[in-house]
Amino acid sequence: MRVGCPKEIKNNEYRVGLTPGSVREYIARGHEVIVETGAGLGIDADDGAYRAAGAKIVETAKDVFEQADMIVKVKEPQPAEWAMLREGQLLYTYLHLAPDPEQTKGLVESGCTAIAYETVTDAHGGLPLLAPMSEVAGRLSIQAGATALEKINGGRGLLLGGVPGVLPGKVSIIGGGVVGLNAAKMAVGLGADVTIVDRSLGRLRELDDLFGGRIHTRYSTIEAVEEEVFSADVVVGAVLIPGAAAPKLVTREMLSGMKKGAVIVDVAIDQGGCFETSHATTHSNPTFEVDGVVHYCVANMPGAVPVTSAHALNNATLQYGLQLADKGLKAIAENRHLRAGLNVHRGRITNEAVASALGYELAEPESFLKVA
Ligand SMILES: NC(=O)C1=CN([C@@H]2O[C@H](COP(=O)(O)OP(=O)(O)OC[C@H]3O[C@@H](n4cnc5c(N)ncnc54)[C@H](O)[C@@H]3O)[C@@H](O)[C@H]2O)C=CC1
Ligand SMILES: CC(=O)C(=O)O
Ligand SMILES: [Mg+2]
């Protein structure tokens, strides 16, 4: 198969879908790889590094989209990109379709077959292609929150860890999955007072064991969320219902009970966000204020640390990408975890949560693929 990797074009997105190391693996399996010039500059990989790995360098994204059978990216296609996709072409990237009707329409109209990293599953009930970026975003969320708390950035002017004789700040994390766990590790490391709220008691037990009494855990109810939000200096939004739009757990009304200059970091913004007042922001203008509360809602947080993120992402995406390149649609038919990643196929929506969020009729992949 001919595999293509364009340069990312989302605001301040410096990751790349294929590292030179991944290119070598595709080449070793007998595939051709074409890479847009400069695609890897954000991770210090120049065209020479890609050529040395066996890729052919092309001048434009149009060349990549025209020539490749499968496109490997990081972020959801932007309008100029979905316009270049064609019927039968495979797209392998993050999509986050449920809160994004325009992109969904673009992909449906293109006729392409789109596999969303964030809905590919594994045998342990996890989301293996979302996990590495959730690790990064979870860790970054505390850096972002701590920075936004500084007075000069519109925050309360509070140091999260405190100092001897002065109490630390309070971090409340809503959603104790991969983002939540990694946010908690960083917040604990800074010396903050940390609470994690989740609706899974099993998960709260795991977290309690992991942190050995260093954090507080709370079962997620409206009351618990409200009390946490009112008392926090930083609130991290980290809930996920796979494929679906994030539930709005914090309403606009609740903001009035928050401390002035407190900070919300809505990591779940890529699925629409779990605060009613959130809207997606970019790295070039990451925060805004509503009712005295600073909101940080960057939808591609890992893009800020591309050297770490692109390698972590490739570590996870490579094995599934190779299956797609080796076998095309047959890989999706044979591997139910990859099939869970199928969101769009030849004009139809194949993911239940996306279909129900956006009012499409669901086309079950099993109804048109000969599954193993
Ligand atoms: N903004 C960005 O750059 C990035 C955003 N993300 C997003 O972060 C979000 C979280 O991802 P992960 O941690 O990997 O998901 P996860 O599936 O590991 O964890 C989600 C947690 O939310 C909990 N949850 C669901 N409903 C809840 C409720 N009503 N109250 C409390 N907890 C609830 C679940 O029990 C689960 O423990 C996703 O939307 C993901 O796409 C991930 C990476 C980067
Ligand atoms: C998960 C995601 O949206 C990101 O890494 O940007
Ligand atoms: Mg995102």
Side-chain angles (χ1 to χ4, degrees):
M1 192 178 275
R2 188 178 291 145
V3 179
C5 178
K7 190 172 166 65
E8 292 296 313
I9 56 174
K10 191 163 176 150
N11 180 290
N12 281 288
E13 180 54 72
Y14 301 105
R15 285 172 289 179
V16 60
L18 292 175
T19 59
S22 291
V23 169
R24 265 183 89 170
E25 300 289 332
Y26 281 89
I27 299 286
R29 296 271 270 257
H31 301 294
E32 270 180 68
V33 180
I34 53 177
V35 175
E36 183 181 347
T37 183
L41 288 178
I43 62 160
D44 293 336
D46 61 11
D47 290 351
Y50 281 96
R51 280 199 195 93
K56 181 179 151 203
I57 302 295
V58 295
E59 284 308 309
T60 65
K62 190 163 168 278
D63 296 328
V64 175
F65 280 84
E66 271 177 13
Q67 294 173 32
D69 305 305
M70 172 163 92
I71 303 289
V72 183
K73 273 179 50 63
V74 179
K75 289 311 294 180
E76 70 279 357
Q78 306 298 299
E81 293 175 316
W82 74 60
M84 291 188 281
L85 287 162
R86 62 168 187 277
E87 182 145 357
Q89 196 167 37
L90 285 173
L91 171 67
Y92 183 51
T93 192
Y94 286 117
L95 294 177
H96 305 293
L97 293 181
D100 194 347
E102 283 173 21
Q103 188 209 159
T104 306
K105 184 163 174 279
L107 293 184
V108 164
E109 287 175 355
S110 77
C112 80
T113 296
I115 295 105
Y117 291 162
E118 73 275 8
T119 63
V120 172
T121 53
D122 66 19
H124 316 288
L127 301 168
L129 307 193
L130 181 61
M133 295 304 94
S134 292
E135 289 166 345
V136 173
R139 291 177 186 211
L140 277 177
S141 69
I142 300 303
Q143 291 181 199
T147 305
L149 261 188
E150 290 175 17
K151 200 77 180 167
I152 44 165
N153 296 324
R156 296 192 66 212
L158 179 119
L159 183 64
L160 267 185
V163 289
V166 181
L167 289 177
K170 174 170 173 162
V171 176
S172 294
I173 301 168
I174 310 175
V178 181
V179 168
L181 168 65
N182 283 277
K185 283 183 179 174
M186 293 295 271
V188 164
L190 283 182
D193 178 17
V194 182
T195 301
I196 304 184
V197 179
D198 203 290
R199 67 171 183 176
S200 159
L201 277 180
R203 183 59 178 166
L204 292 178
R205 287 192 182 102
E206 279 172 17
L207 292 165
D208 183 65
D209 280 345
L210 268 171
F211 285 95
R214 177 59 183 78
I215 61 158
H216 315 285
T217 59
R218 272 190 98 164
Y219 183 66
S220 181
T221 59
I222 297 168
E223 184 182 66
V225 167
E226 196 170 70
E227 284 177 10
E228 285 305 314
V229 162
F230 289 174
S231 56
D233 298 297
V234 173
V235 185
V236 177
V239 301
L240 176 65
I241 298 164
K248 303 285 178 214
L249 300 178
V250 178
T251 60
R252 170 146 204 169
E253 210 187 336
M254 287 184 196
L255 289 197
S256 59
M258 288 183 71
K259 297 175 189 169
K260 292 293 165 221
V263 175
I264 280 170
V265 181
D266 198 351
V267 184
I269 191 65
D270 55 359
Q271 293 292 147
C274 53
F275 299 81
E276 194 183 17
T277 44
S278 294
H279 61 74
T281 59
T282 60
H283 286 292
S284 49
N285 198 7
T287 58
F288 60 94
E289 185 241 291
V290 180
D291 295 346
V293 175
V294 182
H295 291 52
Y296 175 101
C297 305
V298 176
N300 60 332
M301 294 172 70
V305 287
V307 177
T308 306
S309 302
H311 290 288
L313 181 62
N314 272 251
N315 289 346
T317 55
L318 179 63
Q319 54 157 321
Y320 294 94
L322 289 173
Q323 289 175 38
L324 285 168
D326 288 348
K327 299 180 179 172
L329 278 185
K330 204 159 167 261
I332 300 170
E334 284 177 5
N335 182 338
R336 71 188 165 92
H337 296 299
L338 204 41
R339 201 153 67 240
L342 186 66
N343 277 221
V344 186
H345 178 63
R346 292 187 185 267
R348 292 186 294 175
I349 297 295
T350 53
N351 176 285
E352 195 175 352
V354 173
S356 96
L358 297 177
Y360 283 86
E361 193 185 328
L362 173 69
E364 301 263 11
E366 289 77 7
S367 69
F368 55 84
L369 289 173
K370 249 182 132 188
V371 303

